[in-house]
Amino acid sequence: EIVLTQSPDTLSLSPGERATLSCRASQSVSSSYLAWYQQKPGQAPRLLIYGASSRTTGIPDRFSGSGSGTDFTLTISRLEPEDFAVYYCQQYDGSPITFGQGTRLEIK
Amino acid sequence: VQLVESGGGLVKPGGSLRLSCAASGFTFSDHYMSWIRQAPGKGLEWVSYISSSGTTIYYADSLKGRFTISRDNAKNSVYLQMNSLRAEDTAVYYCVRGGGPMFDPWGRGTLVTVSS
């Protein structure tokens, strides 16, 4: 099983700041099979990024994904109030499909 | 595109439930479908997926033998039959379009509570 470890567990930032969220895999993951999701309280997750760096339809360009191999990053260039949420990475390269434990992005 | 789950509720340990998911707004028969769950206050756990034709099915290892996924393309629906339920199966169960490279969109979820 590929274990995804996200860091930090909690990130405290202010609106307007840049957020950098990390996702590290226990073994190499094809970039094609790494996705990022955002979940707000009481809501279902929604897809932000697939293929490590492709934004899905409707996601603002302040969200960007990068990385390869075992290290992937989600960057939010300038935080808006609505961006404070929990973020999960997910891989499909190995069975079973696994998610990271999540990073909570909170307002400082 | 919309996914609407139903069938959740309170069940005793050892009991069974059948979750349903009604899809609309896209060509259902073209897509893999999955179930993903989230225990209260916890992260996301993939449960199962089924191919567009229903011929390919995978389950999380921890669930094998207890859960069965199926679909009816004529009814634009996917199902999850859950047997021998345990307290640790308590979670919100999401119906999701996709089989792995990406999951999009997600339904609003249905809560399953296993408790005596």
Side-chain angles (χ1 to χ4, degrees):
Chain A
E1 174 175 323
I2 296 177
V3 177
L4 299 179
T5 302
Q6 294 186 239
S7 61
D9 287 332
T10 302
L11 184 58
S12 299
L13 294 171
S14 301
E17 290 192 293
R18 180 185 186 91
T20 302
L21 286 67
S22 173
C23 176
R24 178 161 291 177
S26 59
Q27 56 188 278
S28 185
V29 172
S30 167
S31 297
S32 298
Y33 299 143
L34 195 288
W36 289 92
Y37 301 84
Q38 177 194 65
Q39 186 177 32
K40 297 180 180 180
Q43 296 184 17
R46 70 162 175 165
L47 176 69
L48 298 175
I49 301 285
Y50 63 94
S53 61
S54 297
R55 274 188 308 277
T56 195
T57 304
I59 300 303
D61 60 7
R62 64 180 180 273
F63 289 90
S64 63
S66 63
S68 64
T70 60
D71 291 296
F72 297 88
T73 300
L74 175 69
T75 301
I76 311 171
S77 58
R78 285 182 57 85
L79 286 165
E80 298 288 342
E82 62 268 27
D83 298 337
F84 292 91
V86 179
Y87 293 83
Y88 295 95
C89 57
Q90 171 249 322
Q91 69 80 27
Y92 172 64
D93 203 2
S95 180
I97 294 166
T98 53
F99 290 86
Q101 85 280 11
T103 289
R104 180 178 305 276
L105 179 55
E106 64 177 27
I107 299 177
K108 187 174 183 180
Chain B
V1 176
Q2 191 172 20
L3 300 168
V4 179
E5 303 94 337
S6 60
L10 176 63
V11 61
K12 290 181 168 56
S16 298
L17 273 181
R18 188 190 194 215
L19 305 184
S20 300
C21 171
S24 61
F26 65 99
T27 305
F28 180 74
S29 58
D30 283 350
H31 292 270
Y32 279 51
M33 296 296 295
S34 297
W35 289 95
I36 294 169
R37 69 182 182 181
Q38 186 171 36
K42 302 298 184 182
L44 301 168
E45 179 185 19
W46 168 75
V47 171
S48 179
Y49 74 68
I50 185 168
S51 64
S52 53
S53 64
T55 54
T56 299
I57 289 173
Y58 278 98
Y59 299 97
D61 286 345
S62 60
L63 302 173
K64 276 181 185 174
R66 297 194 299 124
F67 288 16
T68 303
I69 192 171
S70 61
R71 67 188 295 159
D72 185 337
N73 285 346
K75 295 183 177 179
N76 288 349
S77 294
V78 61
Y79 309 97
L80 187 68
Q81 177 67 43
M82 304 186 296
N83 298 329
S84 303
L85 283 162
R86 307 166 181 167
E88 54 265 35
D89 296 318
T90 294
V92 174
Y93 285 74
Y94 294 103
C95 172
V96 192
R97 185 175 66 175
M102 66 179 99
F103 295 113
D104 180 55
W106 298 54
R108 297 183 70 174
T110 187
L111 177 62
V112 172
T113 303
V114 184
S115 175
S116 55

